[in-house]
Amino acid sequence: MKGLVFTEFLEMVEERFGFETMERIIYEADLPSGGAYTSVGTYDYGEMVSLLTHLSEKTKVSIPDILYAYGLYLFSTFERNYPTFLESATSAFDFLESIEKYIHVEVRKLYPDAELPSFSSNRPNDTTLELMYMSERKMGHFALGLIEKSLEYYNEKASVAMIPYSEDGTRVKFVIEKRN
Ligand code: HEM
């Protein structure tokens, strides 16, 4: 997992729960990297799981809720660091459909070792987009936060239903329905 995902995560933890909590979870998580992340480095996904577990224990916020909050938070980082990806789409549906075929493809060119999910999409009608999330990392709630912020970015109102497709969280279907 890319260092950026860790540095931004720790920044959010410090902002929401304070410096002490951030220091404590880094210490308790007993990380091979020692918690000294650089944004261009690559680190074991297990370190993220460990940080999430310790933060959840300490704050009593569930891991899905932390991941969801992190998705909302990271969207602003993407907006800042990769504005062209957002500008190249004219609607939230176009943007979300472009993750698999364009955005994450470009991300992979920049970082060949990136660990990315895969998405398949389907538009059953003009007002509905179905996105199927597939990843061994089980970060569906993180995707939910990013999807909600994407809708907000394009000023679109929609409901987002998150439907589990596997018991272990590796497959999740999102049904996004536009409202007027
Ligand atoms: C400007 C837009 C975007 C950029 C630049 C971007 C880039 C990235 C990067 C750099 C990672 C980390 C890879 C790693 O750590 O190895 C990532 C992971 C991820 N991205 Fe995107 N992304 C974007 C939009 C989205 C959106 C809108 C969604 C949700 C529908 C999404 C879903 C995910 C998920 C769920 C992961 C976590 C890894 C996993 O589940 O396997 N991304 N993305």
Side-chain angles (χ1 to χ4, degrees):
M1 187 153 258
K2 295 310 297 174
L4 171 92
V5 180
F6 288 91
T7 53
E8 294 294 313
F9 179 74
L10 292 174
E11 201 177 287
M12 179 190 78
V13 173
E14 184 178 359
E15 220 175 275
R16 303 272 157 88
F17 303 104
F19 183 75
E20 240 173 72
T21 301
M22 183 194 73
E23 288 259 286
R24 180 132 294 270
I25 63 160
I26 292 173
Y27 174 76
E28 285 171 356
D30 195 17
L31 309 161
S33 72
Y37 302 110
T38 65
S39 61
V40 289
T42 302
Y43 306 88
D44 198 305
Y45 164 69
E47 294 204 8
M48 182 51 71
V49 175
S50 186
L51 285 166
L52 285 165
T53 308
H54 285 88
L55 182 65
S56 175
E57 273 169 17
K58 187 153 181 64
T59 60
K60 308 290 175 229
V61 180
S62 71
I63 291 178
D65 283 355
I66 297 171
L67 280 172
Y68 169 67
Y70 186 40
L72 298 175
Y73 183 90
L74 199 65
F75 189 84
S76 333
T77 309
F78 287 164
E79 237 181 295
R80 238 182 3 254
N81 293 5
Y82 309 95
T84 48
F85 291 143
L86 287 148
E87 285 155 13
S88 65
T90 52
S91 71
F93 280 12
D94 284 348
F95 173 70
L96 292 169
E97 274 180 332
S98 76
I99 304 167
E100 177 72 13
K101 293 212 164 63
Y102 170 53
I103 299 170
H104 281 171
V105 173
E106 293 302 313
V107 169
R108 168 131 8 255
K109 286 184 198 161
L110 292 170
Y111 313 112
D113 55 357
E115 295 177 291
L116 296 160
S118 46
F119 287 98
S120 62
S121 59
N122 176 34
R123 281 204 209 192
N125 57 54
D126 284 353
T127 53
T128 312
L129 172 68
E130 296 178 346
L131 263 189
M132 178 71 98
Y133 163 87
M134 290 159 279
S135 170
E136 290 305 311
R137 283 163 295 284
K138 310 164 190 166
M139 292 175 74
H141 285 84
F142 172 70
L144 176 64
L146 287 168
I147 291 170
E148 288 188 357
K149 280 287 175 187
S150 306
L151 291 159
E152 211 178 289
Y153 175 89
Y154 294 97
N155 274 319
E156 288 173 34
K157 297 223 178 318
S159 61
V160 185
M162 186 174 169
I163 305 156
Y165 254 63
S166 67
E167 273 185 26
D168 63 0
T170 55
R171 289 162 72 86
V172 176
K173 185 172 174 179
F174 294 97
V175 180
I176 309 161
E177 240 162 308
K178 269 192 224 165
R179 280 185 269 126
N180 288 318

